[in-house]
Amino acid sequence: ESILIVESSIWVGTSVGLLKLSRINDKLKLELEEDFGLVKQLIHLEGSHILVVSGKHGLINYSESNWRVIHLPLPTADLITCVKKTLDNHYLVGTLGGLYVLNNHFEKVDHFYLNDDTKKITAITVVGDEWWLAFGHKLVVVSPGNTGIKILEITNIRSIINKLFIDQTGNIWIATNNAGLKKITCLRKAFKQLDCGINNAAFSIKENHANGKLIIGGDSFCSILSKDY
């Protein structure tokens, strides 16, 4: 479900919990295993602290085998789907009931959704002062301001969006549920969608900074693509 590499440790979120692996030469050793239920996402906070998005406990601050649940000011029915940290140390928390903006103390600052029928957020990413939000098959670009969150653009991707990723060039990569992988070029004011040739369900996108290539994980496949594809 999710992978995070911090120094020599590899954290893996699975459908049943959290794994920590250590690299010893060319081998991996299992260091610990935690029963957190489905672990959808892992975010490195600072030092040895990581943020775990858990289906069983919600948000967890985990460090050196010690963990605590972060109690959020959200309705209990609004289950967390994804989280993104901004450059100004806010947390964008996607839920079944829309987007919640939290400060660095995890206090609620704002709440945003499109309408009563379009609340569930499936993916989030951030580019500067623009927040890219996936409400199912709708890709919504918003910007925060003094008067609230302003909608800049709405695009219908024609498939549920599983993952949003911004590469170092500024291209937007969109992993969808039944339309494969899509790409919006860094000249994104045109909002041109490119078909990248992968038509199965795509779930995850990672960038290899050493060679600039993308690793795409999906339904029964794993592909490596150049960003110039």
Side-chain angles (χ1 to χ4, degrees):
E1 297 290 340
S2 54
I3 297 176
L4 176 67
I5 299 175
V6 181
E7 296 178 348
S8 62
S9 297
I10 302 173
W11 299 88
V12 181
T14 73
S15 59
V16 296
L18 177 68
L19 305 177
K20 181 183 179 183
L21 308 174
S22 62
R23 288 179 289 185
I24 303 176
N25 296 323
D26 294 331
K27 295 183 179 180
L28 295 176
K29 178 183 178 182
L30 179 63
E31 297 287 347
L32 61 84
E33 190 172 1
E34 298 282 7
D35 178 16
F36 288 157
L38 173 64
V39 173
K40 304 175 184 178
Q41 193 176 352
L42 299 168
I43 299 173
H44 184 217
L45 297 177
E46 57 182 5
S48 61
H49 290 263
I50 62 172
L51 189 66
V52 180
V53 182
S54 159
K56 194 171 185 179
H57 300 290
L59 284 189
I60 297 172
N61 188 330
Y62 194 97
S63 176
E64 302 295 339
S65 302
N66 296 314
W67 58 277
R68 65 178 180 87
V69 175
I70 300 173
H71 297 286
L72 301 178
L74 311 181
T76 54
D78 286 356
L79 297 177
I80 297 173
T81 57
C82 50
V83 178
K84 185 70 176 181
K85 188 178 181 181
T86 67
L87 293 176
D88 59 354
N89 291 321
H90 282 71
Y91 293 90
L92 307 182
V93 180
T95 74
L96 298 182
L99 174 74
Y100 289 90
V101 183
L102 310 178
N103 61 22
N104 60 345
H105 299 294
F106 295 99
E107 299 167 333
K108 179 181 170 183
V109 174
D110 209 341
H111 180 213
F112 172 82
Y113 56 92
L114 286 182
N115 54 58
D116 288 338
D117 296 324
T118 311
K119 289 186 175 182
K120 180 181 177 180
I121 289 185
T122 55
I124 302 173
T125 195
V126 175
V127 186
D129 60 352
E130 293 181 346
W131 301 345
W132 293 63
L133 313 174
F135 287 89
H137 59 85
K138 291 183 178 179
L139 181 59
V140 181
V141 185
V142 302
S143 179
N146 295 330
T147 58
I149 297 173
K150 178 183 177 181
I151 297 177
L152 303 178
E153 190 81 42
I154 300 179
T155 301
N156 191 341
I157 301 299
R158 300 190 302 277
S159 176
I160 293 176
I161 300 168
N162 294 323
K163 182 74 174 181
L164 294 171
F165 181 79
I166 311 292
D167 66 29
Q168 290 181 313
T169 307
N171 299 309
I172 314 296
W173 296 82
I174 306 167
T176 70
N177 203 47
N178 55 21
L181 183 71
K182 302 294 182 183
K183 174 185 176 182
I184 298 174
T185 65
C186 55
L187 301 174
R188 59 184 185 276
K189 296 304 179 185
F191 247 90
K192 183 179 180 181
Q193 296 182 40
L194 302 178
D195 192 329
C196 300
I198 297 174
N199 297 316
N200 299 61
F203 301 117
S204 65
I205 307 170
K206 299 287 184 182
E207 184 171 9
N208 186 336
H209 296 291
N211 58 23
K213 293 186 177 181
L214 299 179
I215 303 171
I216 315 298
D219 185 11
S220 303
F221 77 88
C222 181
S223 296
I224 299 177
L225 295 179
S226 167
K227 290 186 295 185
D228 298 326
Y229 189 88

